[in-house]
Each structure stands twice: as C-alpha cells, then as structure tokens.
Amino acid sequence: MRIAIENILPDPERPEYDRAHRAWARRRRQRRMPVVLAEQGKFYLLCGHNTIDAAQRAGEDIVECVVRQGVSDEEREEFRLADEYFSSLLPPIKMAESFINYREKYHVTQQELARRTGITAGTVHHYESLRKTLSPKLQEHVDRGKLTFKEARCIADIDGHQRQEELAQPFIDSRLSSVYVEELVSKAKANPTAAPSDLIAEYVVDKPVVEDPSVNAPTNDVTENGHNLIHIERLNGRYEDDLEGMQEDAFLLAGSLEKLVSAEIPEYRRLRLVSTLRILSSRLNIALDHLNRYNTNGSSNSGKGNSNGSRIAHAVRVS
C-alpha cells in the first residue's frame, strides 16, 4: 500500500533514537519495505526507518508499505530489533544487548531469532560474543566509532582484557589499518606469551622523523603509518643512492593501496588518508615527469610513458 510519508507516525511504544550522529553506521544497510501498524485510522511505523529516510532525501512524498492490522507484543519487539539493526539505530554493543535481552525474555535460540527478524544467526552470534568477551573499555570505543566492528570482533578472540586493549590501541590511534587486524590477532593467538608491543612493532613504525638540516626534506605534513608509507629513513635520504630500495618501497605501497579498496574505513580515518594520498599523487606526477625526460627512445615511447604515468597517478588519486 502506498502511504504519504507525512501520515506515517513513530510507534509510541518505541524508544527515541539519536539519529543525528551515528559514528558506528559505516556500512550501507539493506533497505526493507516499511511495515506500518494500522490502528484507529493512523499508521505507526514498526520497521523501515532507513527506507523512509532514503525516500525523504530523494524528495519523495509517498512510499510503499506493508500494512499490519494487529501485532502481538512479541512481534512488535521483533520488528523493533530488525529495524534497529537494518536501519543502524543502535551502536553495536547496544544492539548486542537488545539481542540478548530479547532471547532471555522469550527463551529463543540465536537461530530462532534470526528466523523471526531476517538477521542472520552468524550476525547475532558475533554481536553477542562482542558484548560478552570484549574489554568494557574497548566496547565504549566501538560504540563511539573509534574501533570498527571488524577490528573489535577479531580482537575479542584474544584472552585477557588488558592484552586486547594493547593490541587494539594502534587501530584506535589510526596507526594501523583494519586490513591487518586478522593477521595481527592470528599471530597473537599463536604466540600467547609474546608482548603485544613486539607483535604490533612488526606492523607499526612509531619512530619520529629525524630532521637533517643538510638535506632538503619534504615540507608536507605526512603521517607515518609504517606499512603504508615509504620508509622513514628514506624520507630524509637521497633516493639516487638507493634506487633499488625505492623500487621495493613502491611495490610495497602498491600492495597496500590494493588492499585499501576492500577495507572498512571510518570517516575520521578516511579524511586523513585522503589528504596523504593527495600528497602522494602530486609527488608521483612530479617523479614521472622527471623520469620521462630521460626517455631517449623517440616520441611514441615518450607518449606511452606519459599515458602510463597518468593511469598510475589516477590509481592513487582520491577526489
């Protein structure tokens, strides 16, 4: 049934949600057809906040809905759970608590909850496990968007809250990408007596940049990420003395950029990365122009070099 959005009212039995700033809502959720309860000539929204929001942003006034004439208290809570998850109305830990509270109240398994809400049983399990095993301090970081769900879920497999917190710190500080969390946790589990600082050191370089007044060091403000940027000692060195090392660094950086496209990146980290990659794109164009000047094989090869340079620069350019 098509219903005017202005005629769809919030369910009076539902809590109000803070929808102004949802740092945890990093991933596009599945849009489901809104479900409304028809009661005394009015329509109350049971499920489908994200679909209504999308329609309003698109300037639509009417939306297709499923109309229910009556629901039990249990069904009402099932609609609420589905809406809280698919519309990202709750942060992850609060969402986990909603799953746990519902299952305890109605004595149902994770599989049965999944059947009733359309949320997979695996998702319910991951959320509940996070609530039960992750350090309380890290749970706060998850709900504030400082630690991604993927990072938290992997780190929760580590025994000991203090060890979890130490391994999570470089992700919270944006010194390490979530691309590396599974590998780091795997090594931590295989080496339970290894100090977290030693495990992290393999991926993160925390050395400060040493200024050498005799060298014209780059003036840009580059954040050192260890695995993503050129080795710190070469930032202040002379590249012409280490061309093989520079080529090796270029291949390593290319691999990191390839992993970047599949990474889940929160907004506050993405903006910093965008700034760094723009600097990289500019320096790459300058380097390619310089190298192309030494092309002595004719104009056709020179053109080919410029074309390749444009494609490489485009691969790292972020707009």
Side-chain angles (χ1 to χ4, degrees):
M1 178 177 178
R2 292 175 61 80
I3 302 175
I5 293 177
E6 63 180 11
N7 293 334
I8 300 176
L9 306 175
D11 184 355
E13 297 189 19
R14 291 272 294 275
E16 293 186 5
Y17 303 97
D18 179 11
R19 297 160 67 190
H21 178 67
R22 292 176 289 175
W24 63 88
R26 308 177 190 90
R27 184 175 299 173
R28 185 186 299 273
R29 295 292 194 190
Q30 174 187 347
R31 293 181 185 173
R32 315 179 100 196
M33 186 178 294
V35 179
V36 298
L37 174 65
E39 196 172 72
Q40 298 179 347
K42 297 180 180 179
F43 298 106
Y44 297 100
L45 183 62
L46 297 177
C47 185
H49 274 89
N50 58 344
T51 304
I52 297 292
D53 290 344
Q56 290 178 318
R57 288 194 300 270
E60 299 176 8
D61 299 323
I62 299 175
V63 66
E64 189 75 30
C65 300
V66 175
V67 179
R68 295 288 300 268
Q69 299 297 326
V71 292
S72 65
D73 291 341
E74 192 168 348
E75 287 178 312
R76 208 173 196 132
E77 289 196 45
E78 290 160 9
F79 280 124
R80 174 182 57 80
L81 284 176
D83 202 23
E84 287 173 343
Y85 174 74
F86 288 110
S87 296
S88 294
L89 297 177
L90 290 180
I93 303 304
K94 297 296 183 185
M95 188 73 252
E97 291 173 353
S98 285
F99 288 149
I100 294 171
N101 292 339
Y102 174 88
R103 292 204 310 109
E104 290 179 349
K105 181 177 181 179
Y106 294 105
H107 308 287
V108 299
T109 64
Q110 293 177 344
Q111 289 74 16
E112 179 60 19
L113 173 57
R115 186 189 69 79
R116 296 182 183 188
T117 60
I119 305 168
T120 67
T123 296
V124 175
H125 170 74
H126 286 318
Y127 273 80
E128 292 190 6
S129 295
L130 208 63
R131 177 64 181 87
K132 295 174 181 177
T133 62
L134 188 66
S135 155
K137 181 179 178 179
L138 294 183
Q139 291 182 23
E140 295 178 7
H141 285 299
V142 174
D143 278 358
R144 292 202 303 266
K146 295 289 187 179
L147 192 67
T148 69
F149 186 84
K150 173 185 176 180
E151 293 164 352
R153 180 166 53 84
C154 292
I155 292 171
D157 288 339
I158 298 295
D159 293 331
H161 288 172
Q162 182 177 349
R163 190 172 177 82
Q164 289 178 0
E165 292 167 9
E166 292 173 339
L167 290 172
Q169 199 59 49
F171 298 100
I172 296 171
D173 295 340
S174 301
R175 291 181 290 134
L176 193 57
S177 165
S178 59
V179 170
Y180 295 89
V181 66
E182 293 175 336
E183 184 178 348
L184 175 62
V185 169
S186 177
K187 290 189 176 182
K189 292 168 72 174
N191 301 276
T193 60
S197 58
D198 293 337
L199 295 169
I200 295 169
E202 182 178 346
Y203 301 92
V204 178
V205 176
D206 288 326
K207 297 178 182 178
V209 175
V210 178
E211 295 292 342
D212 185 350
S214 64
V215 177
N216 293 324
T219 58
N220 52 69
D221 181 16
V222 178
T223 302
E224 174 59 46
N225 278 342
H227 58 282
N228 280 338
L229 301 181
I230 297 172
H231 293 164
I232 192 168
E233 61 271 17
R234 289 174 181 149
L235 283 174
N236 292 324
R238 295 185 181 275
Y239 270 140
E240 58 266 29
D241 297 333
D242 190 15
L243 294 178
E244 291 186 3
M246 181 178 63
Q247 186 173 6
E248 178 185 349
D249 286 336
F251 280 121
L252 290 173
L253 179 58
S256 294
L257 290 174
E258 185 176 358
K259 293 180 180 180
L260 178 66
V261 298
S262 61
E264 184 181 73
I265 306 174
E267 183 71 11
Y268 69 97
R269 293 186 184 179
R270 186 181 68 82
L271 295 177
R272 294 169 60 181
L273 189 55
V274 165
S275 176
T276 301
L277 289 179
R278 281 177 174 159
I279 294 171
L280 175 61
S281 177
S282 172
R283 298 301 183 272
L284 180 58
N285 280 324
I286 293 173
L288 288 171
D289 288 343
H290 175 71
L291 292 173
N292 285 333
R293 292 175 189 170
Y294 292 92
N295 191 332
T296 59
N297 295 327
S299 59
S300 60
N301 283 344
S302 177
K304 181 179 179 181
N306 287 333
S307 175
N308 288 339
S310 297
R311 287 198 295 270
I312 295 171
H314 177 73
V316 299
R317 185 176 296 115
V318 179
S319 58

